[in-house]
Structures are given as structure tokens and as C-alpha cells.
């Protein structure tokens, strides 16, 4: 029960932050953002960032929560990540094909 509540509340909390950060909506909420559409990072880029986030946070990849994403002026993407265990956040810079260029604390 608590796990279900946490999995529901964490993405909702992230969605509330999207407007202030300039990132698009979270693909994990299913709120009409399709990966790769309207400036959102493609699914393969999101998956690359999840793997990088797991290494950076030293947690299983299943605990990494995707926030929003946005395309940069160079054509790459920035993807918000949150560690579902302790709420630590990072921004992952990734190419369209999922090659992670950088990951930095947010």
C-alpha cells in the first residue's frame, strides 16, 4: 500500500515542478506527452538517462523516476531524474540516440 502511494505521489510532485523549471511534462504520468513529440526526449534517450541515473545515485534503475524533458539549442535533450528512494535530483544531458553526455545534480 505504501509503495503504491509513493509511486503515485512522486511523479505527481515532479509534475508540479515542471512549469517553474521549463521542462516538459513527465512521460511517467501519461499526461499527453509522448516521448519524442513536442520537444520531449525520445524513449531511447529517456532510457539512457535512467541507466546513468542509476549509476549516479547508486540505486537500481527501477527506482529512478523520470521528470520532464526539454530539447537544448544544440539538439540534445535535458531530462530530469529523481531517485525514488531519497528524492535526490539530477539533470541528464543526452543525445537523441540515448548517448549520455553528462549528468549533474539539480
Amino acid at each position: 500500500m505504501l509503495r503504491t502511494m509513493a509511486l503515485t505521489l512522486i511523479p505527481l510532485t515532479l509534475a508540479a515542478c515542471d512549469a517553474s523549471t521549463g521542462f516538459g511534462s513527465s512521460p511517467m504520468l501519461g499526461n499527453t506527452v509522448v516521448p519524442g513529440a513536442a520537444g520531449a526526449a525520445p524513449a531511447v534517450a529517456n532510457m539512457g538517462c535512467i541507466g546513468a541515473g542509476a549509476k549516479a545515485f547508486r540505486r537500481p534503475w527501477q527506482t529512478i523516476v523520470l521528470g520532464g524533458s526539454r530539447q537544448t539549442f544544440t539538439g540534445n535533450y535535458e531530462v530530469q531524474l529523481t531517485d525514488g528512494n531519497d528524492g535526490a535530483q539530477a539533470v541528464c544531458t543526452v543525445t537523441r540516440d540515448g548517448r549520455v553526455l553528462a549528468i549533474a545534480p539539480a
Side-chain angles (χ1 to χ4, degrees):
M1 177 76 166
L2 290 175
R3 180 181 168 108
T4 303
M5 287 177 55
L7 292 175
T8 302
L9 293 177
I10 290 171
L12 292 175
T13 303
L14 290 175
C17 297
D18 290 342
S20 64
T21 63
F23 284 91
S25 297
S26 171
M28 295 190 74
L29 294 177
N31 55 0
T32 70
V33 173
V34 177
V44 68
N46 288 333
M47 293 307 295
C49 284
I50 288 173
K55 288 179 184 175
F57 294 134
R58 294 186 177 118
R59 303 284 189 187
W61 67 268
Q62 297 91 336
T63 65
I64 307 303
V65 180
L66 285 173
S69 63
R70 62 183 172 199
Q71 192 167 22
T72 67
F73 69 94
T74 61
N76 296 319
Y77 294 89
E78 291 181 335
V79 179
Q80 288 179 314
L81 301 173
T82 300
D83 178 353
N85 288 317
D86 65 10
Q89 295 187 331
V91 174
C92 172
T93 304
V94 64
T95 63
R96 179 178 249 336
D97 62 355
R99 188 169 49 92
V100 175
L101 303 174
I103 189 162

